[in-house]
Amino acid sequence: MRSANFAASELPVESVNLRLKARLDFLKILPNGIVEITDFKSGNVLDDEGEVESVTALQLRMYGLILLEFSPQARLELKVVSAA
């Protein structure tokens, strides 16, 4: 994850230590070193207060934990994009 301007979709990732396995919808490493993880959803992801639903937020955080295992110093930006 040290290669700036890298992007990949449907990227499989795994943490043996955390016993997590996932497929990232979209990962991008920006020129400033920020690692963007984007999850695409087909429905509404906001709760009644306008915040991202807890299950979706947890999913994104798990993705972040997997990536931090590979690159502990990474600066992550977690995003969700919804069609609704």
Side-chain angles (χ1 to χ4, degrees):
M1 290 197 324
R2 297 182 183 128
S3 184
N5 296 321
F6 172 82
S9 60
E10 295 297 318
L11 182 68
V13 292
E14 182 176 7
S15 166
V16 174
N17 292 334
L18 298 173
R19 294 187 289 170
L20 296 172
K21 187 184 284 190
R23 183 174 303 272
L24 305 181
D25 288 346
F26 191 70
L27 175 102
K28 184 175 184 179
I29 303 175
L30 303 173
N32 61 4
I34 291 176
V35 179
E36 248 181 33
I37 302 169
T38 304
D39 193 50
F40 297 100
K41 300 291 187 191
S42 59
N44 185 23
V45 295
L46 302 179
D47 62 18
D48 293 338
E49 290 144 16
E51 299 292 325
V52 174
E53 292 178 336
S54 59
V55 68
T56 301
L58 178 62
Q59 178 185 4
L60 286 165
R61 289 180 182 129
M62 295 289 188
Y63 293 166
L65 287 173
I66 293 170
L67 291 181
L68 286 173
E69 186 173 300
F70 295 107
S71 184
Q73 302 303 316
R75 295 180 310 154
L76 301 177
E77 188 169 303
L78 308 174
K79 295 182 173 188
V80 62
V81 176
S82 173

